[in-house]
Amino acid sequence: MTDHHRRPRLAALGLWAGAGGAAAVLAAGLGGGAVAHVGATGVVKERMDLMMEIGDATKAIADMLRGTQPYDAERMRAMARRIEGHGGEAMTSLFPDGSLDHPSEALPAIWTEWERFERLADLMADQAGALARAADNPRGPMQRGGGMMGGSGIMSGSGMMGGGMMGGGGPSAEDLAAMPPDAAFRHLAQTCSACHEAYREEQ
Amino acid sequence: MRRTGWIAAAVALAIAAGGAGTWLIGGPTAPPRDLTDLTGDVNRGAYVARLAGCIPCHTDSEAGGAVLAGGGPLKTEFGIFYGPNITPHETDGVGAWTLEQFAAAVTEGRAPDGSHYYPSFPYAFYTRLSDQDIVDLWAAVRSVPAVEGRAPPHDLAFPYTVRAGLGAWKRLYLDPEPAPADWPRGRYLAEVAHCGACHTPRTALGGRDADRRFAGAPTPGGGTIPAITGAALTEAGWTVEDLAYSLVSGVKPDGDVYGGAMARVVQGGTQFWSATDRDALAVYLFEGALGAPITEGETQ
């Protein structure tokens, strides 16, 4: 940093109402560390294992869709069915009220928004089941087609930023099952993401 | 004589101090841009909005809010920010604004009444926007339905509540210059998408630590925002293709799916990018960011 920048920095330090001290304390308290699944027991361990299995299946699917592994419809179906089986109640039953023991990454919002949490877990199962049924469909682009800003005038189109992406009102399971697996998987991944965003502490 | 000299010195000092204070509190001014000859294109502007990540902070998608009508909480080390309503509503949004006022807001962090925005509004990055992108963005913002209502006020910890400090902050951390024409696309995208807003650690005063660009940062919850330097990504086992794919799908190479703020970034922004732009950003982060002089890239 040059002198040119150093001088105003000093002045600003004084100006910002003691910011230096207060903020340094604040910042010091914020140091975090990565927490792995190590040390998990009981239901927390069970659901972490479940999530790991979903992640492994997701990886297998993504690798095929990305082309880093050859596409195999049989394997696609098997992996999607595995995710389906881990959704719904198989998942929600592993989140008993207030189960936040270390090293859980669950957020308490799960229990204040239990219905939404359940809905997302059900949606995940439904979408994964639809993906299994889409496994033999012709392949297509991962990304939503050019309609992004098309027609309806940019950002007003509900599809583009509407509630569907956050876990409500998206395409039906029937619609998904008729899509290219690439597109169906995109919707499934968005459900994972919506749930993680709301209910998982990022480590 | 001696007494008169003292008074003169004191007056001179007071004027100088006052001037310095005004200089500090006023903050820097962006170089003037002549936008009058440019025509905004709504569709291109919508794409710029996706590049710049306007929607994730100005739309409360989770609560089913209308587009650009105000965002959900943005939790930071400094408190909780709420992106305001920027629909063309006459009083609650930006309906009464001119293009010049919009440009000043975006490139200088200055509201039409002259006050400063908090840098949670990433104008320190948007100041790199090209003239055409600003005009297009404005056309897109003007095109959404006007919606009544305002976002909640920011909920900040002292001393960040003291807005007078923002001018000084800008003097320190805002370098209001548009991107040079010779920047590679990936570098422009990294700026406009303001990756560094979260992935570059901040000083106690809330400025980005220029020496640790993209080196990762703490989250308010005690977690860690990962480093996105090429070296860090490589060490974590990521490739350029992994990163580009995660920006369209949210899926990481290990099969995990983004949560947190990155979920919003993908869902509201990068999934709508062209494959070319996602690739350009990924390549830049892996290969270009380290060599780029920080004085031109990130504000300093």
Side-chain angles (χ1 to χ4, degrees):
Chain A
M1 186 176 284
T2 65
D3 268 1
H4 171 70
H5 288 101
R6 193 163 283 144
R7 227 169 290 121
R9 171 185 277 269
L10 286 174
L13 269 167
L15 206 152
W16 207 331
V25 171
L26 186 69
L30 291 168
V35 182
H37 296 183
V38 177
T41 56
V43 74
V44 171
K45 179 173 193 320
E46 277 182 62
R47 71 192 184 210
M48 285 183 155
D49 290 345
L50 179 103
M51 293 292 179
M52 288 299 289
E53 284 180 26
I54 295 172
D56 289 345
T58 303
K59 175 176 166 52
I61 291 169
D63 284 350
M64 285 189 279
L65 294 176
R66 290 174 61 189
T68 52
Q69 294 289 327
Y71 189 82
D72 174 352
E74 198 55 49
R75 184 166 161 77
M76 170 64 76
R77 256 191 300 279
M79 293 297 118
R81 290 291 179 207
R82 180 177 297 177
I83 296 174
E84 181 187 18
H86 285 348
E89 208 185 332
M91 178 180 287
T92 56
S93 66
L94 297 179
F95 288 85
D97 205 353
S99 53
L100 288 168
D101 291 346
H102 179 83
S104 173
E105 297 166 2
L107 289 172
I110 288 174
W111 297 286
T112 56
E113 299 172 17
W114 182 255
E115 279 179 18
R116 178 164 183 260
F117 182 66
E118 269 188 325
R119 199 165 67 239
L120 286 167
D122 288 344
L123 185 63
M124 181 189 103
D126 290 348
Q127 290 177 330
L131 175 60
R133 285 187 280 153
D136 286 318
N137 293 350
R139 300 288 309 280
M142 168 94 196
Q143 194 168 10
R144 197 179 295 227
M148 162 168 140
M149 346 258 171
S152 62
I154 105 139
M155 322 216 247
S156 49
S158 64
M160 193 164 108
M161 43 215 94
M165 296 191 314
M166 302 306 284
S172 69
E174 288 315 306
D175 289 344
L176 288 177
M179 288 180 185
D182 313 71
F185 176 64
R186 195 179 72 98
H187 287 278
L188 172 60
Q190 282 180 355
T191 301
C192 301
S193 201
C195 200
H196 287 172
E197 185 193 351
Y199 305 120
R200 180 175 77 176
E201 182 69 68
E202 291 303 296
Q203 304 293 334
Chain B
M1 278 308 282
R2 179 176 288 178
R3 189 184 172 86
T4 320
W6 267 110
I7 291 170
V11 167
L13 194 71
I15 289 171
T22 306
W23 180 84
L24 265 178
I25 291 168
T29 311
R33 296 183 186 234
D34 184 8
L35 307 175
T36 46
D37 289 341
L38 300 174
T39 308
D41 180 284
V42 171
N43 284 334
R44 265 195 37 92
Y47 188 69
V48 177
R50 292 302 187 183
L51 296 182
C54 307
I55 288 118
C57 280
H58 287 287
T59 304
D60 192 354
S61 310
E62 204 164 329
V67 173
L68 302 185
L74 175 68
K75 293 172 191 157
T76 76
E77 299 170 64
F78 309 100
I80 301 173
F81 293 94
Y82 294 90
N85 179 348
I86 55 167
T87 70
H89 190 275
E90 200 67 20
T91 50
D92 291 347
V94 298
W97 289 26
T98 64
L99 169 62
E100 287 65 36
Q101 289 172 329
F102 178 71
V106 167
T107 64
E108 220 173 273
R110 196 179 299 275
D113 69 2
S115 63
H116 301 299
Y117 291 118
Y118 282 97
S120 52
F121 171 35
Y123 50 80
F125 298 87
Y126 296 163
T127 194
R128 308 279 176 242
L129 283 164
S130 70
D131 290 354
Q132 187 63 53
D133 279 355
I134 289 175
V135 173
D136 288 339
L137 193 54
W138 180 233
V141 166
R142 301 283 300 170
S143 77
V144 308
V147 177
E148 205 177 295
R150 291 170 177 247
H154 303 322
D155 180 10
L156 305 180
F158 182 82
Y160 306 112
T161 45
V162 184
R163 267 196 196 244
L166 290 170
W169 185 92
K170 287 186 184 177
R171 287 283 174 202
L172 285 172
Y173 296 114
L174 173 63
D175 167 28
E177 293 287 339
D182 62 353
W183 273 15
R185 178 72 174 170
R187 183 169 182 183
Y188 182 73
L189 293 170
E191 279 289 303
V192 172
H194 56 281
C195 308
C198 292
H199 290 280
T200 298
R202 291 184 185 266
T203 66
L205 285 176
R208 276 164 293 147
D209 183 343
D211 295 333
R212 295 195 293 149
R213 189 173 188 222
F214 297 148
T219 69
T224 306
I225 298 165
I228 52 167
T229 59
L233 288 165
T234 303
E235 198 185 320
W238 288 53
T239 64
V240 169
E241 293 74 24
D242 289 339
L243 181 56
Y245 183 74
S246 80
L247 293 175
V248 66
S249 65
V251 180
K252 307 181 199 176
D254 67 356
D256 186 20
V257 182
Y258 287 135
M262 199 60 199
R264 281 202 232 174
V265 167
V266 173
Q267 294 194 8
T270 56
Q271 68 156 327
F272 296 100
W273 291 20
S274 70
T276 312
D277 276 349
R278 280 193 303 269
D279 290 347
L281 175 63
V283 167
Y284 173 67
L285 287 177
F286 266 87
E287 296 168 10
L290 270 185
I294 193 137
T295 46
E296 290 171 48
E298 298 252 296
T299 53
Q300 177 46 44

